[in-house]
Amino acid sequence: MRDGEVTRRRFLQSVGVSGGAGALFATMGALGLAPARAATPAFRPPQPSDFHLTGRAARKVVVLGAGIAGLTCAYELGKAGYDCTVLEARDIAGGRNLTVRGGTALTDLGGRTQRAAYSPGTYFNAGPARVAQWMVTLDYCRELGVPVEPFVNANADTLIYNEAAGPPVRMRTAKADLYGYVSELLAKATDQGALDGRLTAEDRQRLLAFLEDFGDIGAAHEYTGSTRRGFSSYPGAGEDAGTPLPGPASLSDVLASEVGRYLSFEFGYDQAMMMFQPVGGMDRIATALAAAAGRHRIRLGARVLTVTGRDADVVVTYRQGGREHAITADFCVAALPPHLLAKIPHNFSAEVSAALAAFVPFAAGKIGLEYRSRWWETDLRIYGGPTFTDLDITQIWYPSSGFHDRRGLVVGYYNFGEVAEAYGALSPAARTARAIEQGVKIHGAKYRTELASAFSVAWERMPHLEGAWAYPWSSFRPLLEPAGRVYFAGDWLSQAVAWQHGAFLSARAAVTALHQRVLTT
Amino acid sequence: MRDGEVTRRRFLQSVGVSGGAGALFATMGALGLAPARAATPAFRPPQPSDFHLTGRAARKVVVLGAGIAGLTCAYELGKAGYDCTVLEARDIAGGRNLTVRGGTALTDLGGRTQRAAYSPGTYFNAGPARVAQWMVTLDYCRELGVPVEPFVNANADTLIYNEAAGPPVRMRTAKADLYGYVSELLAKATDQGALDGRLTAEDRQRLLAFLEDFGDIGAAHEYTGSTRRGFSSYPGAGEDAGTPLPGPASLSDVLASEVGRYLSFEFGYDQAMMMFQPVGGMDRIATALAAAAGRHRIRLGARVLTVTGRDADVVVTYRQGGREHAITADFCVAALPPHLLAKIPHNFSAEVSAALAAFVPFAAGKIGLEYRSRWWETDLRIYGGPTFTDLDITQIWYPSSGFHDRRGLVVGYYNFGEVAEAYGALSPAARTARAIEQGVKIHGAKYRTELASAFSVAWERMPHLEGAWAYPWSSFRPLLEPAGRVYFAGDWLSQAVAWQHGAFLSARAAVTALHQRVLTT
């Protein structure tokens, strides 16, 4: 039996012992919640002892890009003693994990510089902002000691605003009306025997019991409103039973208002509550990860010029401080945006080059509006969450932290694709003006008069990123294998594009493959 | 023009200037969200200047009970200089606003004493635990400087467990299945023309578009599962698209499992997310309120013996420190539980006596289970929220704070009525044993083996409370007017029974009436 096989067996046996997703779902399986099989084996971080039995030693690795994937590679490989160097073109680690605070300055590809004038304590998560509870991102928060708090991704009291439909309505009102009418229609169809071919007598009875409760339609099977819609004045002291909101509108009007199109957002497997955020800003993760990987290992302002794989090593040249440098390592993990990596001179195979070139970057923009008062809490009783609109701002997010503080930061738009590009093409001041103009339609004059300052990011215009995320237009399978001694990692090589979860998992996959190779060849 | 009229006019004019609910909904009305009229005028706290024009002065008030209503009366009246004394039979202020920490000791009516063995930092909100964002409770948190954080009252990853239906299912799975089948049934009925009498062609098209999205049923109008159900292994690196959960079960089986009965909980106007809790324990509110009212004004261990209204004053006798005392005041606010107040010798009218006697206390119980590990987070990825069961424990609540801490407190039951009385009749140790036995059915052995300590409260057995809350079995209208110089206050005199919101608003109503009387007569 070769040493490599011993090591491999140990490696596989340790899966499920060290915790992580595999162990998690095995536990769930035992409870009947899930099958005991996980699609991806649980991640087992490399560790120094892995080398004891093999006579092998940790190697030198150059990591391209200090985004979440690159930092994770350096952090995880570093656990076993790999000598990692991370090259990062920007002057800050974290990639799109960017939190803007007072004083943050950014210059876009067009040379336009913004400097954030936010008050102390105010921050704006310009990139990723939320973490679902099943995501591995939370495991890294736990491991790195980054405290988390709820991120409000759904709230009954946020608004829906479709411009042609008139004044905004609360999410709870839209929900009550649609669920009420849907229940009424289905209950009546059931009553009339329209579903007799499909339902047994028992099914029918159970379905009707469900609908009466789900739609609050009563035994008459008629939706005539519900306390679930909310009140203009909530039930109070003595005999004050509250003032119900006017309505409901007719079924036709509710359908025509198109409020229903926003209701399924909160059902998404990646968007359903509960969701979380690091306390104090998303960059707490990047900062903790960079510190854990070792700050001295990260070369900032280091732009990669060439990547050349050779039989026994990889040579990467880069420009830093106005000078050209070269680094030679046993392995490389390329964790740059794929559309930028494709343009860097390299000696990858034609297949690998084509796979990289097939990624198409996507535009997205966000604006962080700091307000002098938290009028959304005091005037509208909205404590966090998204308001949905059919305006080009798409969404407005009220803050998930600092409740009852004096000031607060509202995300004035989070938009994608063409509308994001249109905003991105404007000057920062013009973006703010447009975002405010749109928000005033929903929130009235305070949306303008209470504004303290604004900062916007157009990700497709960010140097060294040039996109919010990137999708492959053909299979990325060639990139899941190393190109010689070069491995690839990033959310773009995962099924969770645009999520840090995808970056973490892709990095783990690259680390696992690289480490297994070192241990077994 | 009499001085009283000037004062009244000023009083009314100030409504809407001082903020609060009325101003809130006026703002909403201007935005088309609500009519500009509120059922209850905005509360205007008494203030010293109210007396300047009238030559009148603040009076002496004796408040019976240092629960939220009593403390609020003393606090609000104190703002204008009223000389308030609060008599509280228990040795702690706050009433049912009770947070148990390590060392908390309670002796029940049967003489059984529990002493909490919780670790430092662990706490158990044994009474009220959550605050909806529209509730006035949040205004008091803001005013008193009590920080708040989200309370998780709905979570896609908590469980539903109906004992006869087999293993627990995630909330998100139950939701996806029911919404999917409901959408399929209604879409098919629509396709088959069963609703043609009700829907225009446009309605039909819009309804179908809604259902396709709402139920994730696709253009075929057939529910065959959805990513919204969740995964046994979530989408990951590379081409790992995740492992969907097995299922869905057939429509018949989903209906028979009765998971649908828990889905409407989160639609309730008082239960819908977002909800909040004070950071560090619900008693932060009681503590802040007591401090703001003046600790020196609160006499603890002071049990009321008699209440005697006279033409010019009120005399209250009470027992404190083994001795009998009497206090004479201009007015009294009786903020005790109504069923206990009814038993105290008094000289109220027959009508008032009957109204008090018509309140019937209700039983409820809660148990706080401290665990050595947060297995619900690490093993099951449940970050807060309620699991619903048809067991006698009714619900299990995972904690809404301390995410990723080492330890955590799970509410092992929150039950009402007969099952609460059954638990209450057990010894504390037997309650714990039974709660654990039930929880093990859902969570397996860890529910027992990781337990560190437990503390339970049976509200119907709490001295000087003798109930979780009380409902009137006939009109309480006689108590909305003062009985001579005695005013009544408490959640029991509101439309928000069992909520602190009701206690605050009822106290405000009593304060407003008393102050208006002092200013105008």
Side-chain angles (χ1 to χ4, degrees):
Chain A
M1 195 153 52
R2 286 173 45 231
D3 277 352
E5 284 178 34
V6 173
T7 312
R8 193 156 50 229
R9 192 179 303 159
R10 279 187 57 233
F11 187 89
L12 292 173
Q13 282 171 345
S14 68
V15 166
V17 174
S18 57
L24 154 63
F25 291 112
T27 306
M28 290 171 60
L31 295 173
L33 286 169
R37 193 186 73 78
T40 305
F43 175 66
R44 180 186 168 284
Q47 43 193 275
S49 63
D50 293 347
F51 296 109
H52 294 171
L53 294 178
T54 64
R56 291 177 176 77
R59 308 297 173 78
K60 187 169 171 185
V61 178
V62 58
V63 178
L64 313 185
I68 295 300
L71 291 174
T72 303
C73 287
Y75 169 57
E76 294 291 359
L77 290 169
K79 288 178 181 173
Y82 283 84
D83 175 16
C84 297
T85 302
V86 186
L87 304 178
E88 169 54 51
R90 299 169 69 222
D91 57 3
I92 184 175
R96 288 160 288 167
N97 176 315
L98 171 68
T99 300
V100 176
R101 295 188 177 77
T104 300
L106 284 178
T107 302
D108 74 8
L109 286 175
R112 294 182 298 204
T113 297
Q114 285 179 85
R115 185 175 296 275
Y118 296 147
S119 312
T122 294
Y123 66 84
F124 166 38
N125 287 332
R130 49 192 166 192
V131 184
Q133 67 205 305
W134 52 264
M135 289 179 169
V136 74
T137 313
L138 281 185
D139 297 303
Y140 279 96
C141 288
R142 187 194 295 110
E143 179 169 327
L144 296 166
V146 173
V148 298
E149 65 191 1
F151 175 88
V152 183
N153 207 36
N155 185 343
D157 279 328
T158 54
L159 308 174
I160 293 174
Y161 181 73
N162 287 334
E163 194 162 17
V169 297
R170 302 264 190 189
M171 184 59 68
R172 71 166 87 223
T173 313
K175 209 184 257 194
D177 288 351
L178 272 158
Y179 294 5
Y181 282 125
V182 160
S183 297
E184 174 186 327
L185 292 175
L186 185 54
K188 284 191 171 157
T190 306
D191 289 338
Q192 289 155 15
L195 300 162
D196 283 359
R198 182 73 196 278
L199 304 173
T200 68
E202 254 190 332
D203 291 345
R204 240 185 61 174
Q205 206 167 16
R206 286 172 175 147
L207 177 64
L208 290 174
F210 171 71
L211 294 172
E212 286 169 19
D213 175 44
F214 174 67
D216 204 7
I217 54 173
H221 298 171
E222 207 147 309
Y223 179 66
T224 55
S226 164
T227 57
R228 298 174 187 168
R229 305 180 77 239
F231 291 77
S232 57
S233 169
Y234 275 86
E239 294 179 315
D240 172 12
T243 309
L245 287 174
S250 70
L251 168 61
S252 272
D253 288 348
V254 169
L255 290 171
S257 74
E258 303 256 2
V259 293
R261 75 164 81 143
Y262 307 105
L263 299 194
S264 70
F265 172 77
E266 68 187 58
F267 307 153
Y269 72 90
D270 50 355
Q271 298 289 0
M273 290 281 270
M274 287 302 292
M275 299 193 83
F276 290 83
Q277 64 181 6
V279 175
M282 189 56 80
D283 66 348
R284 301 291 194 227
I285 293 177
T287 303
L289 204 52
R295 283 271 173 204
H296 60 289
R297 300 194 168 277
I298 304 167
R299 299 190 187 162
L300 297 175
R303 188 164 57 81
V304 175
L305 300 175
T306 64
V307 181
T308 309
R310 303 192 297 199
D311 281 353
D313 56 23
V314 183
V315 181
V316 174
T317 62
Y318 62 97
R319 180 172 293 278
Q320 187 187 32
R323 289 181 47 202
E324 204 166 305
H325 306 262
I327 184 168
T328 302
D330 297 306
F331 297 98
C332 173
V333 183
L336 300 177
H339 48 289
L340 301 187
L341 187 56
K343 292 185 215 161
I344 292 173
H346 56 67
N347 67 343
F348 302 148
S349 70
E351 193 191 28
V352 165
S353 297
L356 286 173
F359 279 87
V360 178
F362 199 69
K366 257 191 196 171
I367 193 165
L369 307 171
E370 186 185 23
Y371 282 97
R372 279 181 208 97
S373 65
R374 295 174 78 97
W375 46 265
W376 53 93
E377 292 174 2
T378 51
D379 297 0
L380 294 170
R381 307 299 285 217
I382 297 174
Y383 282 68
T387 273
F388 298 92
T389 84
D390 64 356
L391 304 174
D392 60 17
I393 55 173
T394 312
Q395 302 168 28
I396 292 175
W397 291 3
Y398 315 95
S400 298
S401 62
F403 303 106
H404 290 170
D405 279 357
R406 273 196 63 189
R407 293 175 165 243
L409 185 128
V410 167
V411 174
Y413 60 77
Y414 178 26
N415 49 22
F416 319 92
E418 281 181 24
V419 281
E421 284 168 19
Y423 269 90
L426 301 175
S427 71
R431 289 176 201 160
T432 304
R434 177 152 186 84
I436 294 297
E437 190 186 315
Q438 300 287 57
V440 164
K441 294 177 186 171
I442 301 168
H443 285 304
K446 271 191 178 176
Y447 203 78
R448 189 190 312 278
T449 56
E450 290 297 294
L451 184 68
S453 69
F455 191 99
S456 56
V457 170
W459 285 101
E460 68 283 8
R461 291 170 181 264
M462 287 282 273
H464 309 298
L465 290 168
E466 301 188 19
W469 50 80
Y471 292 114
W473 275 28
S474 64
S475 171
F476 58 48
R477 193 169 298 165
L479 306 174
L480 300 178
E481 299 295 321
R485 293 177 164 271
V486 178
Y487 291 76
F488 301 97
D491 65 295
W492 44 282
L493 283 181
S494 82
Q495 301 300 315
V497 173
W499 291 96
Q500 293 176 98
H501 175 73
F504 280 120
L505 289 185
S506 173
R508 284 180 164 194
V511 163
T512 300
L514 192 160
H515 186 50
Q516 257 186 308
R517 177 170 168 183
V518 168
L519 290 182
T520 56
T521 61
Chain B
M1 195 153 56
R2 289 172 45 233
D3 277 350
E5 283 179 33
V6 173
T7 312
R8 191 157 50 229
R9 192 180 303 158
R10 280 186 56 235
F11 186 88
L12 292 172
Q13 282 170 347
S14 68
V15 166
V17 173
S18 57
L24 155 64
F25 290 111
T27 306
M28 291 172 60
L31 295 172
L33 286 171
R37 194 185 72 80
T40 306
F43 175 67
R44 180 185 169 284
Q47 42 192 275
S49 62
D50 293 347
F51 296 109
H52 294 170
L53 294 177
T54 64
R56 290 178 177 78
R59 308 295 173 80
K60 187 170 172 185
V61 179
V62 58
V63 177
L64 312 184
I68 295 299
L71 290 174
T72 302
C73 288
Y75 169 58
E76 295 291 358
L77 289 169
K79 288 178 181 174
Y82 283 85
D83 175 17
C84 296
T85 301
V86 185
L87 304 178
E88 170 54 51
R90 299 170 69 223
D91 56 4
I92 184 176
R96 287 160 288 168
N97 176 316
L98 170 69
T99 300
V100 176
R101 295 187 177 77
T104 300
L106 284 178
T107 301
D108 74 8
L109 286 175
R112 294 182 298 206
T113 296
Q114 284 178 87
R115 184 175 297 275
Y118 295 147
S119 314
T122 294
Y123 66 85
F124 166 39
N125 287 332
R130 49 192 165 192
V131 184
Q133 67 204 308
W134 52 264
M135 290 180 169
V136 73
T137 314
L138 281 185
D139 297 303
Y140 278 95
C141 289
R142 186 195 294 109
E143 180 169 327
L144 297 166
V146 173
V148 298
E149 64 191 1
F151 174 88
V152 183
N153 207 36
N155 184 345
D157 279 328
T158 53
L159 308 174
I160 293 174
Y161 182 72
N162 288 334
E163 194 162 15
V169 297
R170 301 264 191 191
M171 186 58 67
R172 71 166 87 223
T173 312
K175 211 184 255 193
D177 288 350
L178 272 159
Y179 294 6
Y181 281 125
V182 160
S183 296
E184 174 186 327
L185 291 176
L186 185 53
K188 284 192 170 157
T190 307
D191 288 339
Q192 289 155 14
L195 301 161
D196 283 359
R198 181 72 196 279
L199 304 172
T200 68
E202 255 190 329
D203 290 345
R204 242 184 60 174
Q205 207 167 17
R206 286 172 176 148
L207 176 64
L208 290 174
F210 171 71
L211 294 172
E212 285 169 17
D213 176 43
F214 174 67
D216 204 6
I217 54 173
H221 297 169
E222 208 147 309
Y223 179 67
T224 56
S226 164
T227 57
R228 296 174 187 168
R229 306 180 76 241
F231 291 77
S232 57
S233 168
Y234 274 86
E239 293 180 317
D240 173 12
T243 308
L245 287 173
S250 70
L251 169 61
S252 270
D253 287 347
V254 168
L255 290 171
S257 75
E258 303 255 4
V259 292
R261 73 166 81 145
Y262 307 104
L263 300 193
S264 71
F265 172 77
E266 67 187 60
F267 308 153
Y269 72 90
D270 50 356
Q271 297 289 1
M273 290 278 274
M274 287 302 292
M275 298 194 84
F276 291 83
Q277 64 182 6
V279 175
M282 189 56 80
D283 65 349
R284 301 291 194 226
I285 293 177
T287 304
L289 204 52
R295 283 271 172 203
H296 61 288
R297 299 193 169 277
I298 304 168
R299 299 190 187 161
L300 297 175
R303 187 165 58 82
V304 176
L305 300 175
T306 64
V307 181
T308 310
R310 303 192 297 198
D311 281 354
D313 54 25
V314 183
V315 182
V316 174
T317 62
Y318 61 97
R319 178 173 294 278
Q320 189 187 31
R323 288 182 48 202
E324 204 165 306
H325 305 262
I327 183 168
T328 303
D330 298 305
F331 298 99
C332 172
V333 182
L336 299 177
H339 47 289
L340 301 188
L341 187 56
K343 293 185 215 161
I344 293 172
H346 56 68
N347 67 342
F348 303 147
S349 71
E351 193 192 27
V352 165
S353 296
L356 286 172
F359 278 87
V360 178
F362 199 69
K366 257 190 196 171
I367 193 166
L369 306 172
E370 186 185 24
Y371 282 97
R372 281 180 206 97
S373 66
R374 294 172 78 96
W375 46 265
W376 53 92
E377 291 174 2
T378 52
D379 298 359
L380 294 170
R381 307 299 284 213
I382 297 173
Y383 282 69
T387 272
F388 298 92
T389 84
D390 63 355
L391 304 174
D392 60 17
I393 55 173
T394 312
Q395 303 168 28
I396 292 174
W397 291 2
Y398 315 95
S400 297
S401 62
F403 303 105
H404 290 170
D405 278 358
R406 272 195 64 187
R407 292 175 166 243
L409 185 130
V410 166
V411 174
Y413 61 75
Y414 177 27
N415 49 22
F416 318 92
E418 280 179 24
V419 281
E421 283 168 21
Y423 270 91
L426 301 175
S427 70
R431 289 176 201 161
T432 304
R434 178 153 186 84
I436 293 297
E437 189 186 316
Q438 300 287 57
V440 164
K441 295 177 185 170
I442 301 169
H443 285 304
K446 271 192 178 175
Y447 203 78
R448 188 190 313 277
T449 56
E450 290 297 294
L451 184 68
S453 68
F455 191 100
S456 57
V457 171
W459 285 102
E460 68 281 9
R461 290 170 182 264
M462 288 279 275
H464 308 298
L465 290 167
E466 300 187 20
W469 50 81
Y471 292 114
W473 276 28
S474 64
S475 171
F476 57 49
R477 192 170 298 163
L479 307 174
L480 300 178
E481 299 293 320
R485 293 178 164 269
V486 179
Y487 292 76
F488 302 96
D491 64 294
W492 45 283
L493 283 181
S494 82
Q495 301 300 316
V497 173
W499 291 97
Q500 292 176 99
H501 175 73
F504 280 120
L505 289 185
S506 173
R508 284 181 164 193
V511 164
T512 300
L514 191 161
H515 187 50
Q516 255 185 309
R517 176 168 168 184
V518 168
L519 290 182
T520 56
T521 59

